[in-house]
Amino acid sequence: MSAVPGCKTTFKVVTEGSGDRTVSQGDTVTVHATGVVKESGYKFWSTKDPGQQPFEFQAGLGKVIKGWDQGCLGMKSGEVRELEIPADEGYGAGGFPAWKIP
């Protein structure tokens, strides 16, 4: 796992992307995402589940949880990353009980 600059979040490149362009702060990105609680293996959400759509957001502007916001910076088109996001860069100490995130 590699460190996300300025964060506790780490990442592993699962599939290399292509091209010279990388995601920069303020870019609108469309991603697939699957959220899994590390300790239990419980999948709480996936854009690939029936009825779900890819997730779109502006990277690096604090509009989503910090781990995603910063963890997507530097990605190339088609790249697949596995992000390990600690609670304080995810949903916080209280988690997100509705999704069973501790």
Side-chain angles (χ1 to χ4, degrees):
M1 298 293 269
S2 300
V4 172
C7 296
K8 296 175 192 168
T9 295
T10 57
F11 74 93
K12 173 174 64 173
V13 175
V14 176
T15 304
E16 294 287 339
S18 61
D20 294 328
R21 183 148 164 46
T22 61
V23 175
S24 298
Q25 183 177 11
D27 287 348
T28 298
V29 296
T30 303
V31 299
H32 275 290
T34 299
V36 177
V37 176
K38 181 181 176 182
E39 294 79 9
S40 66
Y42 173 72
K43 180 181 83 169
F44 57 85
W45 177 69
S46 178
T47 59
K48 293 186 176 186
D49 285 344
Q52 295 293 316
Q53 300 291 322
F55 185 72
E56 183 177 283
F57 68 99
Q58 287 182 286
L61 298 181
K63 295 185 177 189
V64 296
I65 61 172
K66 185 176 182 177
W68 272 3
D69 192 47
Q70 300 299 306
C72 289
L73 295 175
M75 290 180 73
K76 293 183 176 187
S77 180
E79 182 174 322
V80 176
R81 283 188 182 181
E82 179 180 314
L83 300 174
E84 191 169 302
I85 304 172
D88 62 336
E89 292 180 359
Y91 294 99
F96 191 33
W99 284 3
K100 300 179 186 170
I101 301 171

